Amino acid sequence: MTLQPFGDRALLINWEQRIDPELNAKVHAWQQAIEQAAIKGVEYSIPAYCSLTVVFNPMQIAFDTLAEKIQALKIPEPSTRHAGRTLEIPVDYNGADLPEVAQRTGLSEPELISLHSNRPYRVYLIGFLPGFPYLGPLPEALHCPRKQTPRQSVPAGAVGLAGAQTGIYPFEAPGGWQIIGQTSLKVFDAESEDPFLLRPGDTVIFKPV
Amino acid sequence: MLEVEIISTGLFDTLQDEGRPGYQSQGVPLGGAMDRQSAALANQLVGNPLGTPVVESTLLGPRLRFLGPAQIALTGALVRPTLNGHPMPRYTTVNVSPEAILNIGSMKQGCRTYLAIRGDWRVQKWLGSCSPPPYQSEVLTPDSQLQPGQLLKIQNTPNIEIRQFPPQDHPIFPKICEVRVFPGPEWGAFSDSARQSFLTQPFTLSKDSNRMGLRLKEQLPEAEHLPGLLSSAVLPGTVQVPPSGQPIILMADAQTTGGYLRIAQVSTNDLPILAQCRPGDQVQFRLHV
């Protein structure tokens, strides 16, 4: 684990650079500990696969002081099993890219569906769009490159694949993921006080409908 | 209650404040004024607290009618604004009489103006900010992308004494600007010639630039074989390099994570300079010392 400055108002913590549920659980444990410590001058933080970026106000705290305070925190060993909530997401596997994914992976459509569904995925991070979860680990047989040309518009609730990841579009947006299905569940609800269904560290299980 | 009618809009007029820090772990862009310095100054000139909404206009400003008396201030890009057809001074508190029409006009230098109006703005916010997010803004912040015929509602507060900023202190926004950068997290992944080229050649802003990012036309050498990055945080001011080799400087509405290598991070103090660059202008990066 390394701490380094990221410009003049952020601190970047990097772990070993790989996608791994246990490593990612550490990232979220550190983020929670830093949030709970309520260090004066810390504005927000962004967890990702194996990195955590802490943004601070340099008028209120210096990088070195922040780094010391973070290193002095007692971070509990995270448990991947009990962290976060588990949510079932109903999916109609009718996505426009199912044929392309089948062709690229050499799997039949029923094989694709059974490999993708009924297994736990960790919400590694939320990014790209507000509320868009990056989910994994995805079975290797399903790894598939992004579309050559991104779509102008992907509907809200579309379930897609890209590389080693699967994800859900929170609302209609342009995007390059291979769309394999559609959920009726709202992962983003504009009307709600808390508009986001998922949080980093949650577990998602897709259920075919 | 003061009402201000938008008679006609310019190219892109939005209400902006200081954005929504704290929601970036949910993928929510920071948002807020592109040129934070000019926005803060405008609010200061009318005695508004920092973070009060301002009207941010891009390249061509709107025409507005004040239905009651108001105190306003205009900062940012160089324009020749008129009030009822007469030239209006910038960088000062201006007392406006009822029915007055303000025309901001087209910007001669710089890219964005900021209009502050004294008082307590009544505007719909999402997650604490009126800044329109890049997606769903018509639902989440319906007041914030100005439309002809729209009425802005502002609860008046008693007038303040006129404040002004002397002309010699008005920022100027040249067509070739210099911004200071820190080495980004992946600075070391770039070849010597790519790094040297980054710090020596001027980069031209493409017309695809917007509040999410400024796209640069020139290419860095030896970028096509660079490794990817496991998605990690990006911030306003992050300079990322996609495989095309053409750097992108992320700005206020940027996404929160990205998979391109981050060659540099712009000094926070120099972000307002970038916010005032327009397509065709040139940027020269200098390593911060």
Side-chain angles (χ1 to χ4, degrees):
Chain A
M1 185 193 105
T2 59
L3 276 76
Q4 66 184 99
F6 181 177
D8 52 8
R9 51 182 303 131
L11 178 152
L12 172 63
I13 311 176
N14 263 328
W15 284 266
E16 201 187 321
Q17 293 296 293
R18 59 191 166 88
I19 300 183
D20 177 276
E22 278 175 39
L23 206 53
N24 184 253
K26 253 182 214 180
V27 174
H28 295 134
W30 278 72
Q31 192 212 9
Q32 274 172 20
I34 292 169
E35 247 172 41
Q36 278 161 14
I39 302 165
K40 193 172 152 51
V42 169
E43 293 183 339
Y44 59 91
S45 58
I46 306 177
Y49 285 112
C50 38
S51 71
L52 176 62
T53 300
V54 182
V55 178
F56 61 92
N57 179 349
M59 307 288 272
Q60 292 185 356
I61 192 165
F63 173 84
D64 290 338
T65 317
L66 178 58
E68 276 168 31
K69 281 185 191 280
I70 288 176
Q71 277 164 324
L73 290 176
K74 300 267 180 291
I75 315 287
E77 263 311 298
S79 146
T80 46
R81 252 180 311 162
H82 300 294
R85 308 157 301 166
T86 299
L87 292 102
E88 288 193 356
I89 308 234
V91 182
D92 183 357
Y93 284 94
N94 61 352
D97 297 321
L98 265 183
E100 183 178 338
V101 176
Q103 190 218 333
R104 282 179 179 274
T105 57
L107 297 165
S108 70
E109 292 185 16
E111 282 171 334
L112 282 176
I113 295 165
S114 84
L115 265 177
H116 187 261
S117 57
N118 290 315
R119 57 166 65 231
Y121 292 110
R122 181 179 176 80
V123 180
Y124 283 123
L125 66 135
I126 307 242
F128 168 45
L129 299 171
F132 186 105
Y134 284 71
L135 305 165
L138 186 69
E140 213 156 313
L142 287 176
H143 293 195
C144 185
R146 284 174 168 78
K147 293 194 76 66
Q148 286 281 324
T149 313
R151 283 202 169 79
Q152 294 285 345
S153 167
V154 176
V159 175
L161 302 178
Q165 306 143 129
T166 178
I168 310 162
Y169 280 76
F171 42 80
E172 189 193 320
W177 290 42
Q178 305 275 6
I179 304 307
I180 58 168
Q182 176 74 32
T183 177
S184 53
L185 210 59
K186 276 190 174 176
V187 289
F188 177 81
D189 184 356
E191 309 292 319
S192 166
E193 280 285 299
D194 180 7
F196 307 105
L197 179 69
L198 299 169
R199 275 186 278 281
D202 285 346
T203 299
V204 164
I205 301 171
F206 292 112
K207 293 283 176 191
V209 293
Chain B
M1 183 77 76
L2 167 67
E3 288 186 319
V4 182
E5 182 198 345
I6 310 300
I7 303 170
S8 62
T9 48
L11 279 183
F12 185 60
D13 306 293
T14 56
L15 302 185
Q16 295 291 345
D17 48 28
E18 293 183 313
R20 31 186 85 82
Y23 296 96
Q24 285 59 52
S25 58
Q26 294 288 354
V28 179
L30 187 62
M34 285 280 276
D35 176 353
R36 298 279 219 257
Q37 203 183 345
S38 295
L41 209 51
N43 269 328
Q44 228 176 314
L45 287 166
V46 298
N48 278 347
L50 271 178
T52 303
V54 290
V55 177
E56 177 183 279
S57 303
T58 311
L59 293 170
L60 174 69
R63 256 157 69 86
L64 317 97
R65 187 199 321 270
F66 293 85
L67 303 185
Q71 275 196 313
I72 67 172
L74 186 68
T75 63
L78 178 62
V79 277
R80 307 258 179 253
T82 61
L83 202 54
N84 287 330
H86 303 290
M88 185 190 91
R90 299 153 64 237
Y91 286 92
T92 180
T93 324
V94 175
N95 289 326
V96 174
S97 44
E99 295 304 316
I101 292 178
L102 167 65
N103 186 29
I104 293 181
S106 68
M107 298 170 204
K108 320 293 176 200
Q109 263 186 347
C111 190
R112 294 178 169 89
T113 56
Y114 292 86
L115 171 69
I117 305 174
R118 178 164 173 77
D120 185 7
W121 289 59
R122 301 301 157 88
V123 36
Q124 192 167 320
K125 294 181 175 182
W126 181 58
L127 304 179
S129 168
C130 69
S131 179
Y135 298 102
Q136 305 272 298
S137 67
E138 57 301 335
V139 186
L140 301 170
T141 54
D143 310 324
S144 294
Q145 190 165 334
L146 301 191
Q147 304 295 336
Q150 184 180 344
L151 286 179
L152 302 175
K153 291 185 165 51
I154 299 151
Q155 183 66 54
N156 300 68
T157 42
N159 276 6
I160 54 158
E161 296 272 311
I162 302 291
R163 299 176 181 180
Q164 56 181 325
F165 224 55
Q168 64 270 24
D169 292 345
H170 298 185
I172 45 166
F173 306 111
K175 298 197 79 60
I176 300 175
C177 67
E178 203 175 285
V179 302
R180 290 163 296 173
V181 296
F182 299 92
E186 286 77 49
W187 172 256
F190 289 85
S191 67
D192 287 345
S193 68
R195 284 185 278 186
Q196 206 195 341
S197 160
F198 181 72
L199 293 174
T200 50
Q201 78 168 104
F203 289 91
T204 313
L205 243 73
S206 125
K207 62 174 172 22
D208 299 330
S209 302
N210 55 31
R211 285 182 44 90
M212 294 173 78
L214 310 180
R215 288 173 180 271
L216 305 178
K217 285 186 186 165
E218 289 76 10
Q219 254 177 304
L220 290 182
E222 301 166 32
E224 63 274 25
H225 302 303
L226 286 169
L229 174 73
L230 286 180
S231 281
S232 185
V234 290
L235 307 169
T238 300
V239 187
Q240 58 179 22
V241 182
S244 71
Q246 295 162 297
I248 301 169
I249 313 172
L250 297 176
M251 298 298 284
D253 282 347
Q255 59 191 73
T256 55
T257 58
Y260 297 136
L261 298 187
R262 302 160 291 188
I263 191 170
Q265 179 69 29
V266 175
S267 163
T268 304
N269 289 338
D270 289 355
L271 280 174
I273 301 175
L274 285 175
Q276 293 292 354
C277 282
R278 41 163 120 222
D281 286 357
Q282 290 197 315
V283 179
Q284 175 78 64
F285 296 109
R286 292 262 183 262
L287 215 47
H288 199 286
V289 283

